[in-house]
Amino acid sequence: MLSEVMSHYKMVREFDQADFFETDDFKHTLTEVRHHIKHGRLIALTGIVGCGKTRMLRHIHHLLSKEKDILVSQSLSVEKSRLNLGTLISALFCDLRRSKNEKIPSQPEQRERELRDLIKNKKKPVVLFVDEAHDLHGKTLIALKRLIEVIQGAGGTLSIVLAGHPKLSNDLKRATMEEIGARATIFMLEGIQKSKEEYTH
Ligand SMILES: Nc1ncnc2c1ncn2[C@@H]1O[C@H](COP(=O)(O)OP(=O)(O)OP(=O)(O)O)[C@@H](O)[C@H]1O
Ligand SMILES: [Mg+2]
């Protein structure tokens, strides 16, 4: 069926292999996200299933990696409910350390001190991307906010971009998360839904 539709409309690529479609909503969100990344924030991109969060995250990651003004890191762990501060710090070490032989400290105090110095010495803002972040535990969200502050206290800049279902924004807004409130910026993504209309009418 899909192959028939594709040949009828002379489509050469499957939908998930199509180039990124830049909506006005995306352009606006990108400008805002860029601004917040430079100022050490916890940023949440939230939206319903299939609205394009993963695609947007990849696109921002790609753009920033090309520009090189901001250093980019990404958590690749798939079991998000098991993800904790330690595993996210490991992701940062993996992407920022000078060589693969450099050991990642396992003792929390030492780990955080070394990360603080590593980011400070880079002299550029660092951003960590975490997809499917609606599965992160509340304690991990609070720990991330504190990590951002520890880095900032030493003169470095760390921002964390979380993408997830609307549950993530609800979690961040919850009363128990008050501590995070002032440091978090939440974006509700519309995705490409609105822009579809001009092509389907
Ligand atoms: N801006 C875009 N340009 C091109 N394709 C897009 C865009 N946004 C979404 N898509 C396509 O829509 C589909 C769903 O997108 P994506 O996987 O990013 O959604 P999601 O919000 O991460 O979904 P989930 O909540 O299941 O994780 C994919 O095939 C993706 O390639
Ligand atoms: Mg996704």
Side-chain angles (χ1 to χ4, degrees):
M1 175 66 183
L2 179 62
S3 61
E4 283 168 26
V5 172
M6 287 181 71
S7 73
H8 179 79
Y9 287 104
K10 299 190 173 54
M11 289 162 68
V12 288
R13 279 189 246 170
E14 296 257 346
F15 289 111
D16 53 359
Q17 275 141 31
D19 287 337
F20 187 76
F21 181 72
E22 237 182 28
T23 61
D24 289 343
D25 181 39
F26 171 77
K27 282 184 210 154
H28 171 73
T29 309
L30 178 64
T31 312
E32 289 295 309
V33 168
R34 234 188 249 277
H35 170 83
H36 288 294
I37 286 177
K38 287 181 187 152
H39 294 90
R41 303 279 299 177
L42 190 64
I43 300 155
L45 304 176
T46 66
I48 56 166
V49 172
C51 78
K53 302 176 290 294
T54 300
R55 198 63 207 268
M56 188 177 205
L57 213 60
R58 276 194 213 143
H59 194 67
I60 299 176
H61 188 291
H62 174 73
L63 290 178
L64 297 182
S65 305
K66 252 190 355 194
E67 292 169 4
K68 298 191 169 79
D69 294 335
I70 294 167
L71 302 175
V72 221
S73 176
Q74 182 184 17
S75 161
L76 296 180
S77 295
V78 285
E79 272 192 287
K80 302 291 172 186
S81 54
R82 288 183 178 223
L83 212 59
N84 55 30
L85 184 67
T87 37
L88 290 170
I89 289 183
S90 298
L92 282 163
F93 269 111
C94 287
D95 290 325
L96 300 177
R97 66 189 165 173
R98 282 170 293 271
S99 89
K100 280 190 179 161
N101 301 330
E102 253 178 72
K103 270 205 167 160
I104 301 174
S106 54
Q107 201 271 331
E109 181 69 32
Q110 194 195 356
R111 188 182 64 191
E112 273 127 65
R113 279 171 191 261
E114 284 194 27
L115 181 70
R116 182 193 64 181
D117 296 342
L118 183 63
I119 293 183
K120 190 179 163 209
N121 293 336
K122 294 281 178 190
K123 296 193 167 51
K124 282 184 185 182
V126 171
V127 60
L128 171 69
F129 290 99
V130 186
D131 199 0
E132 309 290 346
H134 46 262
D135 282 336
L136 291 184
H137 198 281
K139 277 186 192 160
T140 310
L141 294 174
I142 293 176
L144 288 177
K145 175 254 177 192
R146 291 183 185 159
L147 181 68
I148 289 172
E149 287 175 346
V150 166
I151 305 290
Q152 198 163 47
T157 305
L158 171 68
S159 287
I160 297 166
V161 180
L162 307 170
H165 298 163
K167 175 182 175 293
L168 174 64
S169 59
N170 294 339
D171 284 350
L172 288 168
K173 285 179 194 157
R174 205 160 281 149
T176 47
M177 292 290 177
E178 255 170 28
E179 184 185 337
I180 294 187
R183 231 176 225 287
T185 310
I186 301 171
F187 295 92
M188 309 282 196
L189 302 183
E190 286 177 5
I192 49 177
Q193 294 307 321
K194 244 188 176 176
S195 318
K196 268 187 191 166
E197 284 165 22
E198 56 183 292
Y199 296 95
T200 51
H201 285 100

